[in-house]
Amino acid sequence: APHNSARAFGKKYPAKAEGARMRCCLRSIWRIMTMAIEIGLQGHSETLVEQEDTAKSVGSGDLLVYATPCMAALMEGAACESIAPYLAEGETSVGVSLQLFHTAATPVGMEVRAESVVTAVDGKKITFTVTAYDEAGEIGHAQHERVIVKAERFLEKTYDKL
């Protein structure tokens, strides 16, 4: 009986039935795309610490050492870049949570890198652990969450605030 009523619905309201089929198809495509983002997927980003990356320059402190906000951006960049190849056209990811521990200072002139690992995938929400290093060793670690969004829709909603 359910099969017959669905067929009758499609005959009576063909546009609505086609829309339902399209939504179902898009959900299937979404599942296929997100299945590619798997636990264990890794990413990285790196930079040379320069004067403008210091706590004194960005306003997060008084010292000429690598700023925590810059390390946060480096960590988010590693996570963002790791999943970017798996997103559908028109999609991007946005950071929604970052629990960060900056455990060692880094001087100007030293290379820093962040390494991310996907630890959970829950629909459009991706969770990472991220560790940052300078040439002497670990300088911080974090748990980070990103959500996959439609870039155009996200920007429209954001700029509708103006």
Side-chain angles (χ1 to χ4, degrees):
H3 180 67
N4 291 339
S5 63
R7 191 175 317 159
F9 177 82
K11 285 181 181 177
K12 189 170 182 180
Y13 304 102
K16 288 185 179 181
E18 184 59 33
R21 277 193 291 275
M22 179 62 98
R23 282 189 300 278
C24 181
C25 180
L26 291 174
R27 278 194 296 270
S28 297
I29 291 169
W30 169 252
R31 280 191 211 94
I32 290 166
M33 291 302 294
T34 57
M35 285 174 38
I37 300 173
E38 296 179 347
I39 293 172
L41 180 66
Q42 298 179 1
H44 73 280
S45 59
E46 54 192 39
T47 192
L48 176 68
V49 177
E50 298 189 31
Q51 182 80 27
E52 58 265 19
D53 302 317
T54 64
K56 187 170 186 166
S57 292
V58 302
S60 65
D62 298 326
L63 302 176
L64 292 174
V65 296
Y66 190 47
T68 302
C70 293
M71 186 173 75
L74 187 74
M75 291 175 148
E76 285 204 48
C80 182
E81 290 303 316
S82 73
I83 62 172
Y86 300 95
L87 302 180
E89 188 173 330
E91 289 183 332
T92 190
S93 68
V94 294
V96 295
S97 171
L98 182 69
Q99 182 179 11
L100 180 143
F101 298 90
H102 195 162
T103 57
T106 301
V108 172
M110 202 175 253
E111 291 278 340
V112 290
R113 75 182 187 284
E115 299 175 356
S116 67
V117 179
V118 172
T119 57
V121 179
D122 182 14
K124 295 182 180 190
K125 183 176 77 172
I126 316 297
T127 304
F128 304 82
T129 57
V130 190
T131 307
Y133 303 89
D134 65 18
E135 297 168 39
E138 184 178 317
I139 60 170
H141 57 274
Q143 180 169 316
H144 178 44
E145 292 181 346
R146 301 188 72 76
V147 174
I148 299 169
V149 299
K150 301 284 187 196
E152 188 174 328
R153 184 166 183 258
F154 184 87
L155 289 172
E156 285 173 2
K157 286 178 68 178
T158 300
Y159 282 91
D160 281 347
K161 292 179 174 185
L162 295 176

